[in-house]
Amino acid sequence: MGRATTITLATSLGLAVALYVWHKKYRRSIKISEQKAQSFSKIKILYGSQTGTSEKFARILAKEAKEIHKIECEVISMQDYDPEDSLSDEAKNEIILVSIISTYTDGAPPESAKWFCKWIEEASSDFRIQKSLLSNLKFCVVSLGNSLYEEYFGTVGKTLEDSFKKLDATMILPLGIVDENVAESRHGGKEGDFAAWKKKFWKRALRIIKNNEHIEVKNSKKSSKDCCSASCSCQGDKKTEKNESDSGLSEEEEEENSEDVVDVEDLGNIMGKITRNAAKGGNEKEMITPMLRDALTKQGYKLIGTHSGVKLCRWTKSMLRGRGGCYKHTFYGIESHRCMETTPSLACANKCVFCWRHHTNPVGTEWKWKMDEPDVIFKGALENHYKLIKQYRGVPGVKPERLEEAFRVAHCALSLVGEPIMYPKINEFVKMLHEKRISSFLVTNAQFPDAIKNMVPCTQLYVSVDAATQDALKKIDRPLFKDFWPRFLDSLSALSAKGQRTVYRLTLVKAWNTEELNAYADLVSLGKPDYIEIKGVTYCGESKATTLTMENVPWHDEVLRFVQQLADLLPNYEIACEHAHSNCVLLADVKFKKDDGWYTWIDYEKFHELSDRYKASEGKLQFTSEDYMAKTPTWAQYGAVERGFDPEEKRHFRKKANNKDIGGC
């Protein structure tokens, strides 16, 4: 009995000792695992952004890291990051470095990322810098761009990725492609593309952090120094990886990864596939993405259907209060409080440096989205416009009689944002306006000459002439079309064949497009417009989308000087009107000048009669701009003391000089 007890005690003691030893080893193992995990627990995100999208995505990723995955994370602009001093430290600390960068004009990096990209590209090819400099760095790159710029799409991100690989950094994911071209994006736009990439990133990053694994994807370049490791077997000069695949990933992971992340070498094939699918009538996407809807709604737009919008012009608000109308009131006699500013297409084919909307709207070279019917857009535009007007009931200073008149829209400015003429059924939409006795003022950016040729008579058809030479136009409009200059010239030629009122719209930007007067005169002789509106650029406030400042805004006297110099080169044009309030001057063909003064105003009822007759005759009974002109009042003519301000209105001056209100056409 005593012996048995002794054996039992000994056994228990031995078990206790064994458990204690096992526990210590287990605790030590856990501690080591935690320490290893901590060495990978820091993620650093660098972003290079022009309009703020890359920064936004960087902060979304960082927020998920901290709040969902409880991982230490830091977000830094490439502008504030010194790669020479910091990148080698990142490699030593074995962090995961994520670079999110956009492609700017002509395939260049954003201004904020130029130095970073220049340094790492030069370092990767500098023989004085050790090629294993970043051998312990794990990285991935996300490239933002627009596939419509085919020549430059993804180039900045690809170059950056190649530079990291040349310095022996380990790529944990192939290049992520984020395409803002909704029609051809793999996941319905930049938000969808980034979400798909993000999902893959977290699967890979969490695996690395949890298991402290050394993972490298295809095409990443290993140095010979690191090749002879436990994962390699060297036979002479031949080195063979022992991993399951070239990437170190399982077949399932490789297949899963290829669904959402695109290697840039495959972009040509993918873009070709997308184009072929579109030609076969693939599923069309909506132009207005969630991010775009949010951005435009915050700017005061009322969105209609899948691609249209309406917004209340500031001059509409001004005239409701008896504080004066816009330049179209002065030049052409519209009633600003009865004008609706809308567009049937939020998309545009340019990214102009002076864009009022800071490029929040989509871009495209052709219609590849779902399309709403004209009656849906027309009804939605009127309903939303009237909802905006209703908000002014009871507002101090609003004249009751004008408020009531505002509920009978008489004019439509198709110049809100985007390119209205891109909408395939623009003619049907314009006809609906005319049927309801609403005049049409349509503005196009001179990139769709065929659409101009096929355009039904508008009350007034505008073409934006933002520069006089090919180089200047590319710089200021940043067009998507490669053949933008022939398209531009063809658009002006098409305008000259229109019988109704035509207008060149020139927006003057100091230090950008105020030279080359002779070239402007040549363009006028090409299109032979009835009128030339010349306006100083509107400063829209500081924006990452443009480098324009108040220094680029000309004074009204400077605009007048430019107009007079241009008029001297155009024997058939003279200064007819000015609207000093909006820094705008009108040159008119002398055929609108009679013995008793100028006839730049419009007889709107006469226009609608002529339009009805044209429609009834199926286009056989043509009419011209001179058939519906009306006398311009003396106060609106150039040289009048009112300088274009209607004497029946009361001029209002803002108290704060920096008060910005950029609404209006």
Side-chain angles (χ1 to χ4, degrees):
M1 186 73 180
R3 184 180 177 187
T5 303
T6 302
I7 292 174
T8 302
L9 288 171
T11 303
S12 299
L13 182 60
L15 183 61
V17 170
L19 285 170
Y20 175 74
V21 172
W22 175 86
H23 183 65
K24 282 195 67 176
K25 288 182 178 180
Y26 174 77
R27 288 286 303 275
R28 183 168 179 270
S29 175
I30 293 296
K31 187 174 182 180
I32 290 173
S33 296
E34 288 176 348
Q35 288 174 345
K36 285 183 177 181
Q38 286 172 2
S39 67
F40 288 101
S41 65
K42 187 172 183 180
I43 296 174
K44 186 164 288 188
I45 307 170
L46 304 180
Y47 67 85
S49 187
Q50 190 68 37
T51 62
T53 305
S54 296
E55 179 181 2
K56 181 176 182 177
F57 286 156
R59 299 201 180 281
I60 288 173
L61 191 66
K63 185 177 181 181
E64 289 189 9
K66 296 174 183 177
E67 297 183 2
I68 298 176
H69 303 294
K70 310 302 179 186
I71 298 172
E72 184 183 353
C73 185
E74 187 178 1
V75 178
I76 307 174
S77 169
M78 290 180 179
Q79 188 174 21
D80 303 323
Y81 186 86
D82 189 338
E84 186 170 7
D85 292 341
S86 303
L87 273 181
S88 58
D89 291 336
E90 316 295 14
K92 291 176 184 176
N93 294 330
E94 298 184 316
I95 70 162
I96 296 176
L97 185 71
V98 181
S99 298
I100 304 177
I101 190 166
S102 60
T103 300
Y104 196 46
T105 305
D106 293 339
E111 290 292 327
S112 62
K114 277 188 175 179
W115 166 246
F116 179 89
C117 293
K118 178 181 174 64
W119 185 90
I120 194 168
E121 186 176 0
E122 290 181 351
S124 68
S125 58
D126 191 337
F127 71 91
R128 296 166 297 182
I129 295 179
Q130 187 179 1
K131 291 300 173 257
S132 59
L133 177 69
L134 304 180
S135 59
N136 291 322
L137 179 70
K138 289 175 171 55
F139 84 98
C140 57
V141 177
V142 180
S143 181
L144 279 66
N146 192 307
S147 56
L148 290 167
Y149 292 98
E150 296 178 16
E151 185 179 355
Y152 304 112
F153 183 45
T155 54
V156 173
K158 176 57 181 171
T159 302
L160 185 60
E161 182 186 75
D162 287 344
S163 298
F164 274 117
K165 290 194 294 186
K166 287 177 182 177
L167 292 171
D168 206 28
T170 300
M171 186 171 69
I172 67 169
L173 278 178
L175 182 66
I177 298 297
V178 174
D179 189 357
E180 73 169 338
N181 180 11
V182 177
E184 296 184 351
S185 161
R186 300 188 79 203
H187 303 93
K190 54 190 176 185
E191 303 98 322
D193 286 348
F194 183 71
W197 174 87
K198 184 157 55 74
K199 179 181 177 182
K200 293 301 169 187
F201 170 78
W202 283 125
K203 285 185 178 180
R204 190 61 41 77
L206 292 175
R207 179 182 169 189
I208 295 172
I209 292 169
K210 180 179 179 181
N211 300 322
N212 195 8
E213 293 185 4
H214 182 80
I215 298 177
E216 184 177 7
V217 300
K218 289 180 181 179
N219 301 324
S220 64
K221 297 180 180 179
K222 297 284 295 176
S223 69
S224 58
K225 177 182 176 181
D226 291 332
C227 180
C228 297
S229 63
S231 62
C232 296
S233 60
C234 299
Q235 298 177 0
D237 293 332
K238 296 180 180 180
K239 304 175 182 68
T240 307
E241 292 285 350
K242 289 184 177 180
N243 296 331
E244 296 176 38
S245 67
D246 291 340
S247 66
L249 307 178
S250 67
E251 292 181 6
E252 180 183 355
E253 288 172 323
E254 285 283 6
E255 183 178 354
E256 187 180 288
N257 184 64
S258 66
E259 292 176 2
D260 290 334
V261 184
V262 185
D263 213 344
V264 95
E265 285 88 349
D266 299 327
L267 278 178
N269 296 331
I270 289 169
M271 292 305 296
K273 182 179 179 182
I274 291 171
T275 303
R276 289 191 295 274
N277 288 341
K280 293 177 183 178
N283 293 330
E284 295 170 319
K285 300 172 183 177
E286 293 188 3
M287 183 187 293
I288 303 176
T289 64
M291 183 180 287
L292 177 61
R293 183 176 296 277
D294 182 59
L296 292 175
T297 300
K298 287 180 179 177
Q299 294 179 36
Y301 288 83
K302 293 292 184 182
L303 301 178
I304 307 158
T306 65
H307 53 75
S308 308
V310 66
K311 189 179 182 184
L312 208 60
C313 172
R314 79 177 180 96
W315 292 107
T316 299
K317 305 171 191 175
S318 176
M319 204 157 187
L320 282 171
R321 291 173 168 168
R323 294 178 174 179
C326 73
Y327 74 89
K328 286 201 287 292
H329 172 61
T330 299
F331 295 173
Y332 315 121
I334 77 159
E335 299 171 273
S336 298
H337 62 297
R338 298 183 66 192
C339 184
M340 174 177 69
E341 192 174 19
T342 188
T343 181
S345 171
L346 291 162
C348 189
N350 293 339
K351 284 196 168 188
C352 303
V353 295
F354 54 76
C355 178
W356 291 357
R357 317 308 173 191
H358 299 318
H359 310 145
T360 48
N361 58 303
V363 291
T365 55
E366 59 182 313
W367 194 272
K368 290 188 177 181
W369 302 277
K370 290 181 180 179
M371 185 172 64
D372 300 326
E373 291 300 313
D375 60 329
V376 174
I377 301 171
F378 181 72
K379 181 180 178 181
L382 281 176
E383 287 180 353
N384 282 284
H385 177 77
Y386 289 144
K387 285 179 182 178
L388 292 169
I389 293 292
K390 283 181 182 178
Q391 296 175 5
Y392 282 80
R393 288 194 187 278
V395 172
V398 170
K399 295 186 173 184
E401 67 277 11
R402 289 198 175 171
L403 186 66
E404 292 308 309
E405 289 173 346
F407 286 101
R408 300 189 301 277
V409 167
H411 316 285
C412 182
L414 292 161
S415 60
L416 178 63
V417 67
E419 177 60 86
I421 211 166
M422 278 183 71
Y423 176 51
K425 295 188 177 182
I426 184 63
N427 281 332
E428 294 178 42
F429 183 78
V430 169
K431 288 176 183 177
M432 287 181 181
L433 292 174
H434 297 165
E435 287 171 2
K436 296 295 183 180
R437 291 305 191 255
I438 299 173
S439 65
S440 54
F441 291 77
L442 189 149
V443 181
T444 174
N445 287 319
Q447 289 296 293
F448 298 93
D450 290 340
I452 293 175
K453 291 175 186 176
N454 297 328
M455 193 69 220
V456 297
C458 291
T459 310
Q460 192 152 282
L461 180 60
Y462 290 75
V463 166
S464 293
V465 180
D466 298 327
T469 65
Q470 181 172 350
D471 290 342
L473 190 69
K474 182 178 182 181
K475 180 181 177 183
I476 200 166
D477 274 5
R478 295 189 291 180
L480 272 70
F481 283 108
K482 290 182 180 179
D483 59 341
F484 67 92
W485 186 247
R487 284 178 169 273
F488 177 74
L489 297 179
D490 288 347
S491 294
L492 301 186
S493 297
L495 197 74
S496 67
K498 308 302 288 187
Q500 295 71 48
R501 292 165 67 106
T502 57
V503 184
Y504 276 11
R505 172 181 279 184
L506 276 65
T507 301
L508 297 187
V509 186
K510 280 173 66 175
W512 287 71
N513 65 351
T514 53
E515 308 298 330
E516 307 291 346
L517 279 161
N518 288 315
Y520 276 114
D522 291 339
L523 294 180
V524 171
S525 65
L526 180 63
K528 301 178 178 64
D530 292 320
Y531 304 99
I532 306 170
E533 290 178 6
I534 303 173
K535 185 181 185 299
V537 67
T538 300
Y539 179 60
C540 306
E542 184 177 351
S543 166
K544 295 177 182 178
T546 178
T547 57
L548 295 187
T549 68
M550 280 299 295
E551 295 296 321
N552 299 112
V553 180
W555 295 98
H556 187 60
D557 288 345
E558 293 176 304
V559 174
L560 277 171
R561 191 179 310 121
F562 176 91
V563 174
Q564 187 59 65
Q565 290 173 341
L566 181 59
D568 291 342
L569 299 173
L570 303 171
N572 293 327
Y573 293 85
E574 294 180 11
I575 301 177
C577 307
E578 70 170 321
H579 190 242
H581 196 174
S582 56
N583 199 11
C584 192
V585 181
L586 182 70
L587 276 175
D589 191 306
V590 292
K591 66 185 179 182
F592 296 103
K593 189 177 184 181
K594 308 299 178 183
D595 292 338
D596 58 342
W598 286 100
Y599 279 71
T600 67
W601 275 35
I602 297 172
D603 184 337
Y604 292 100
E605 189 52 42
K606 182 66 173 178
F607 168 79
H608 291 306
E609 290 175 6
L610 294 168
S611 180
D612 289 344
R613 191 182 68 171
Y614 173 89
K615 182 180 177 182
S617 68
E618 297 182 343
K620 294 178 181 178
L621 295 178
Q622 297 284 339
F623 61 101
T624 70
S625 54
E626 294 175 78
D627 292 331
Y628 57 101
M629 63 183 183
K631 178 71 182 298
T632 309
T634 54
W635 62 264
Q637 297 185 34
Y638 179 63
V641 294
E642 293 86 355
R643 305 201 74 178
F645 191 85
D646 190 337
E648 294 186 7
E649 306 293 299
K650 185 177 181 181
R651 184 72 181 268
H652 175 74
F653 295 92
R654 294 189 183 93
K655 293 181 180 179
K656 294 182 180 180
N658 63 346
N659 191 347
K660 302 184 186 75
D661 187 348
I662 62 170
C665 53

Short mmCIF file of all heavy atoms in Angstrom, two decimals, residues 508-511 514 517 534-536 550-565 583 585 643:
data_model
loop_
_atom_site.label_atom_id
_atom_site.label_comp_id
_atom_site.label_asym_id
_atom_site.label_seq_id
_atom_site.Cartn_x
_atom_site.Cartn_y
_atom_site.Cartn_z
N LEU A 508 -10.38 83.02 -70.82
CA LEU A 508 -9.00 83.51 -70.73
C LEU A 508 -8.38 83.12 -69.39
O LEU A 508 -8.92 83.41 -68.33
CB LEU A 508 -8.95 85.03 -70.89
CG LEU A 508 -9.42 85.60 -72.23
CD1 LEU A 508 -9.14 87.10 -72.28
CD2 LEU A 508 -8.74 84.90 -73.39
N VAL A 509 -7.21 82.48 -69.49
CA VAL A 509 -6.45 82.08 -68.30
C VAL A 509 -5.06 82.70 -68.44
O VAL A 509 -4.28 82.31 -69.32
CB VAL A 509 -6.33 80.54 -68.20
CG1 VAL A 509 -5.67 80.16 -66.87
CG2 VAL A 509 -7.70 79.89 -68.32
N LYS A 510 -4.78 83.68 -67.61
CA LYS A 510 -3.49 84.37 -67.71
C LYS A 510 -2.34 83.39 -67.60
O LYS A 510 -2.36 82.48 -66.78
CB LYS A 510 -3.37 85.43 -66.60
CG LYS A 510 -4.11 86.72 -66.90
CD LYS A 510 -4.11 87.67 -65.72
CE LYS A 510 -2.74 88.19 -65.38
NZ LYS A 510 -2.79 89.21 -64.30
N ALA A 511 -1.36 83.58 -68.47
CA ALA A 511 -0.15 82.75 -68.52
C ALA A 511 -0.40 81.39 -69.15
O ALA A 511 0.48 80.54 -69.19
CB ALA A 511 0.48 82.58 -67.14
N THR A 514 -3.52 83.42 -73.33
CA THR A 514 -3.83 84.81 -73.69
C THR A 514 -2.91 85.37 -74.77
O THR A 514 -2.97 86.55 -75.09
CB THR A 514 -3.76 85.71 -72.44
OG1 THR A 514 -2.48 85.53 -71.80
CG2 THR A 514 -4.86 85.37 -71.46
N LEU A 517 -2.66 85.72 -80.65
CA LEU A 517 -3.85 86.39 -81.17
C LEU A 517 -4.10 86.06 -82.64
O LEU A 517 -5.25 85.86 -83.07
CB LEU A 517 -3.72 87.90 -80.99
CG LEU A 517 -4.06 88.41 -79.58
CD1 LEU A 517 -3.47 89.80 -79.36
CD2 LEU A 517 -5.56 88.43 -79.38
N ILE A 534 -15.98 86.22 -74.71
CA ILE A 534 -14.64 86.14 -74.13
C ILE A 534 -14.75 86.50 -72.65
O ILE A 534 -15.17 87.60 -72.29
CB ILE A 534 -13.65 87.09 -74.85
CG1 ILE A 534 -13.63 86.76 -76.34
CG2 ILE A 534 -12.26 86.98 -74.25
CD1 ILE A 534 -12.84 87.71 -77.19
N LYS A 535 -14.38 85.54 -71.82
CA LYS A 535 -14.60 85.66 -70.38
C LYS A 535 -13.34 85.33 -69.62
O LYS A 535 -12.60 84.40 -69.97
CB LYS A 535 -15.73 84.69 -69.97
CG LYS A 535 -16.16 84.79 -68.51
CD LYS A 535 -17.26 83.79 -68.22
CE LYS A 535 -17.81 83.95 -66.81
NZ LYS A 535 -16.78 83.74 -65.77
N GLY A 536 -13.08 86.07 -68.57
CA GLY A 536 -11.98 85.74 -67.68
C GLY A 536 -12.32 84.49 -66.89
O GLY A 536 -13.47 84.27 -66.50
N MET A 550 -5.40 82.68 -58.11
CA MET A 550 -5.99 83.97 -58.46
C MET A 550 -5.09 84.76 -59.41
O MET A 550 -5.56 85.64 -60.13
CB MET A 550 -6.24 84.79 -57.19
CG MET A 550 -7.51 84.42 -56.45
SD MET A 550 -9.01 84.64 -57.44
CE MET A 550 -9.00 86.42 -57.68
N GLU A 551 -3.81 84.42 -59.46
CA GLU A 551 -2.89 85.09 -60.38
C GLU A 551 -3.26 84.80 -61.84
O GLU A 551 -2.88 85.55 -62.74
CB GLU A 551 -1.45 84.63 -60.11
CG GLU A 551 -0.92 85.04 -58.75
CD GLU A 551 -0.83 86.54 -58.59
OE1 GLU A 551 -0.46 87.22 -59.57
OE2 GLU A 551 -1.15 87.04 -57.49
N ASN A 552 -3.98 83.72 -62.08
CA ASN A 552 -4.36 83.35 -63.45
C ASN A 552 -5.67 83.98 -63.89
O ASN A 552 -6.10 83.79 -65.03
CB ASN A 552 -4.48 81.83 -63.56
CG ASN A 552 -3.19 81.11 -63.26
OD1 ASN A 552 -3.07 80.40 -62.27
ND2 ASN A 552 -2.20 81.29 -64.12
N VAL A 553 -6.33 84.72 -62.99
CA VAL A 553 -7.60 85.36 -63.32
C VAL A 553 -7.34 86.78 -63.83
O VAL A 553 -6.81 87.61 -63.10
CB VAL A 553 -8.53 85.41 -62.10
CG1 VAL A 553 -9.85 86.08 -62.46
CG2 VAL A 553 -8.78 84.00 -61.56
N PRO A 554 -7.69 87.08 -65.08
CA PRO A 554 -7.44 88.43 -65.61
C PRO A 554 -8.45 89.44 -65.07
O PRO A 554 -9.60 89.10 -64.80
CB PRO A 554 -7.61 88.25 -67.12
CG PRO A 554 -8.56 87.11 -67.26
CD PRO A 554 -8.29 86.19 -66.10
N TRP A 555 -8.02 90.68 -64.93
CA TRP A 555 -8.93 91.77 -64.58
C TRP A 555 -9.81 92.07 -65.79
O TRP A 555 -9.47 91.73 -66.93
CB TRP A 555 -8.14 93.02 -64.19
CG TRP A 555 -7.34 92.86 -62.94
CD1 TRP A 555 -6.01 92.57 -62.84
CD2 TRP A 555 -7.82 92.99 -61.60
NE1 TRP A 555 -5.63 92.50 -61.53
CE2 TRP A 555 -6.71 92.75 -60.74
CE3 TRP A 555 -9.06 93.27 -61.03
CZ2 TRP A 555 -6.82 92.80 -59.35
CZ3 TRP A 555 -9.17 93.31 -59.65
CH2 TRP A 555 -8.07 93.08 -58.82
N HIS A 556 -10.94 92.71 -65.55
CA HIS A 556 -11.86 93.01 -66.65
C HIS A 556 -11.20 93.91 -67.69
O HIS A 556 -11.41 93.73 -68.90
CB HIS A 556 -13.13 93.68 -66.11
CG HIS A 556 -14.18 93.88 -67.15
ND1 HIS A 556 -14.76 92.83 -67.85
CD2 HIS A 556 -14.77 95.02 -67.65
CE1 HIS A 556 -15.64 93.30 -68.71
NE2 HIS A 556 -15.67 94.62 -68.62
N ASP A 557 -10.39 94.83 -67.24
CA ASP A 557 -9.68 95.70 -68.19
C ASP A 557 -8.73 94.89 -69.07
O ASP A 557 -8.52 95.22 -70.25
CB ASP A 557 -8.91 96.79 -67.44
CG ASP A 557 -9.84 97.84 -66.85
OD1 ASP A 557 -11.01 97.88 -67.26
OD2 ASP A 557 -9.39 98.60 -65.97
N GLU A 558 -8.13 93.85 -68.50
CA GLU A 558 -7.24 92.99 -69.28
C GLU A 558 -8.03 92.20 -70.31
O GLU A 558 -7.55 91.99 -71.44
CB GLU A 558 -6.49 92.04 -68.35
CG GLU A 558 -5.49 92.74 -67.43
CD GLU A 558 -4.82 91.79 -66.46
OE1 GLU A 558 -5.55 91.10 -65.71
OE2 GLU A 558 -3.57 91.73 -66.45
N VAL A 559 -9.22 91.76 -69.94
CA VAL A 559 -10.08 91.05 -70.88
C VAL A 559 -10.47 92.00 -72.02
O VAL A 559 -10.41 91.63 -73.20
CB VAL A 559 -11.34 90.50 -70.18
CG1 VAL A 559 -12.31 89.91 -71.20
CG2 VAL A 559 -10.96 89.44 -69.15
N LEU A 560 -10.85 93.21 -71.68
CA LEU A 560 -11.22 94.20 -72.70
C LEU A 560 -10.06 94.47 -73.66
O LEU A 560 -10.26 94.60 -74.88
CB LEU A 560 -11.67 95.49 -72.04
CG LEU A 560 -13.12 95.56 -71.56
CD1 LEU A 560 -13.35 96.82 -70.74
CD2 LEU A 560 -14.08 95.52 -72.75
N ARG A 561 -8.87 94.55 -73.11
CA ARG A 561 -7.70 94.82 -73.95
C ARG A 561 -7.47 93.66 -74.94
O ARG A 561 -7.19 93.89 -76.13
CB ARG A 561 -6.46 95.00 -73.06
CG ARG A 561 -5.23 95.53 -73.81
CD ARG A 561 -4.05 95.72 -72.86
NE ARG A 561 -4.43 96.46 -71.69
CZ ARG A 561 -4.32 96.01 -70.44
NH1 ARG A 561 -3.85 94.80 -70.23
NH2 ARG A 561 -4.67 96.76 -69.41
N PHE A 562 -7.61 92.44 -74.46
CA PHE A 562 -7.46 91.26 -75.32
C PHE A 562 -8.53 91.28 -76.42
O PHE A 562 -8.23 91.02 -77.59
CB PHE A 562 -7.59 89.98 -74.48
CG PHE A 562 -7.55 88.72 -75.29
CD1 PHE A 562 -6.36 88.06 -75.55
CD2 PHE A 562 -8.73 88.17 -75.80
CE1 PHE A 562 -6.33 86.89 -76.31
CE2 PHE A 562 -8.71 87.01 -76.56
CZ PHE A 562 -7.50 86.37 -76.82
N VAL A 563 -9.77 91.56 -76.04
CA VAL A 563 -10.88 91.57 -77.00
C VAL A 563 -10.65 92.62 -78.08
O VAL A 563 -10.89 92.38 -79.27
CB VAL A 563 -12.22 91.81 -76.27
CG1 VAL A 563 -13.35 91.96 -77.28
CG2 VAL A 563 -12.52 90.66 -75.32
N GLN A 564 -10.20 93.80 -77.68
CA GLN A 564 -9.98 94.86 -78.66
C GLN A 564 -8.87 94.48 -79.64
O GLN A 564 -8.97 94.72 -80.85
CB GLN A 564 -9.62 96.16 -77.95
CG GLN A 564 -9.52 97.37 -78.89
CD GLN A 564 -10.83 97.62 -79.63
OE1 GLN A 564 -11.84 97.96 -79.02
NE2 GLN A 564 -10.83 97.42 -80.96
N GLN A 565 -7.79 93.85 -79.11
CA GLN A 565 -6.70 93.41 -79.98
C GLN A 565 -7.18 92.34 -80.96
O GLN A 565 -6.78 92.33 -82.13
CB GLN A 565 -5.55 92.87 -79.13
CG GLN A 565 -4.83 93.95 -78.33
CD GLN A 565 -3.79 93.37 -77.38
OE1 GLN A 565 -3.83 92.18 -77.03
NE2 GLN A 565 -2.86 94.20 -76.93
N ASN A 583 -17.20 89.67 -65.77
CA ASN A 583 -15.92 89.73 -66.47
C ASN A 583 -16.02 89.11 -67.86
O ASN A 583 -15.18 88.29 -68.25
CB ASN A 583 -14.85 89.02 -65.63
CG ASN A 583 -13.44 89.40 -66.04
OD1 ASN A 583 -13.24 90.33 -66.80
ND2 ASN A 583 -12.46 88.67 -65.53
N VAL A 585 -17.13 89.74 -72.17
CA VAL A 585 -17.28 90.69 -73.28
C VAL A 585 -17.76 89.92 -74.52
O VAL A 585 -17.37 88.77 -74.74
CB VAL A 585 -15.95 91.41 -73.58
CG1 VAL A 585 -16.13 92.42 -74.71
CG2 VAL A 585 -15.41 92.09 -72.33
N ARG A 643 -22.49 99.38 -68.02
CA ARG A 643 -21.51 98.31 -68.26
C ARG A 643 -22.16 96.92 -68.21
O ARG A 643 -21.59 95.96 -67.70
CB ARG A 643 -20.34 98.39 -67.29
CG ARG A 643 -19.64 99.74 -67.29
CD ARG A 643 -18.25 99.66 -66.74
NE ARG A 643 -17.32 99.02 -67.68
CZ ARG A 643 -16.01 98.87 -67.43
NH1 ARG A 643 -15.50 99.29 -66.28
NH2 ARG A 643 -15.24 98.29 -68.32
#
